[in-house]
Amino acid sequence: MPRRTAPSSAKSHDAHDTNDVIAAHVLRQFRQIFNTVKSHFQRVEASVGLGGAQVWALSVIAESPDIGVSRLARAMTIHQSTASNLVKTLVERGLVSVTRDADDRRAVMLRLLPAGARLLERSPGPFAGVLPGALAALDPKTLARMEADLKLLLRELHADSRSAGIPLSGL
């Protein structure tokens, strides 16, 4: 005679199966997002020989001549040390100039050089990558819900909050 499962146990098992199926769908969606972002940055690097974060930094500097490293970091939502490293590479490649502020010799002002402007002209956009634009296109309610849900996921992952300051192109 077949063994019967108690209704509550069956419901619990079905809920677990449903949760596994949904989790698998969400995992695939994350893969699609990451692979779309990665493909964009690979196209950028292949076309101009520079990483996506560096191209983004160039575009911010082009839009805001004489911007400082701190403001660049805020504009890109990255850590200041990450911005400093990006600037160092851009200066070494002759794409950006650095001058000291006359009033505060510690502060630097960044300007796009002609070689940097030519590189930006050849670079596929969007310069900040595809994800920021896609997020900006979402309605405020969706973004708020997404932020709350991702906060829960990050808590489950025990994610290091410092990693939030690393551009996706650098991953």
Side-chain angles (χ1 to χ4, degrees):
M1 182 163 169
R3 213 170 81 178
R4 292 188 165 231
T5 308
S8 62
S9 174
K11 283 182 184 177
S12 173
H13 185 66
D14 289 345
H16 182 69
D17 287 347
T18 301
N19 198 44
D20 287 348
V21 169
I22 294 171
H25 285 280
V26 171
L27 178 60
R28 283 195 291 279
Q29 289 172 319
F30 271 108
R31 287 177 183 156
Q32 284 180 280
I33 292 166
F34 292 139
N35 285 319
T36 300
V37 169
K38 186 171 122 183
S39 293
H40 170 73
F41 288 125
Q42 286 172 337
R43 277 193 309 278
V44 168
E45 190 157 4
S47 66
V48 295
L50 204 60
Q54 293 161 333
V55 171
W56 184 11
L58 280 178
S59 74
V60 172
I61 295 166
E63 291 172 7
S64 303
D66 295 330
I67 190 172
V69 176
S70 296
R71 277 191 43 222
L72 176 64
R74 280 193 304 277
M76 295 179 68
T77 62
I78 59 175
H79 194 274
Q80 186 168 345
S81 63
T82 305
S84 292
N85 290 334
L86 289 172
V87 167
K88 181 180 176 188
T89 301
L90 297 174
V91 169
E92 288 171 354
R93 294 192 64 169
L95 303 171
V96 169
S97 69
V98 177
T99 56
R100 297 264 174 215
D101 186 296
D103 297 328
D104 181 357
R105 300 296 294 161
R106 295 169 298 166
V108 297
M109 298 180 301
L110 308 171
R111 281 201 173 248
L112 193 65
L113 292 173
R118 287 190 300 275
L119 188 138
L120 272 180
E121 288 173 7
R122 293 191 336 258
S123 181
F127 298 131
V130 292
L131 189 55
L135 290 171
L138 297 174
D139 65 273
K141 280 186 176 181
T142 300
L143 278 175
R145 190 175 60 242
M146 189 180 290
E147 179 189 24
D149 292 343
L150 288 173
K151 189 181 289 186
L152 294 173
L153 177 61
L154 289 167
R155 191 176 311 134
E156 283 297 316
L157 288 169
H158 306 286
D160 182 352
S161 62
R162 292 174 297 188
S163 64
I166 300 170
L168 286 175
S169 63
L171 300 178

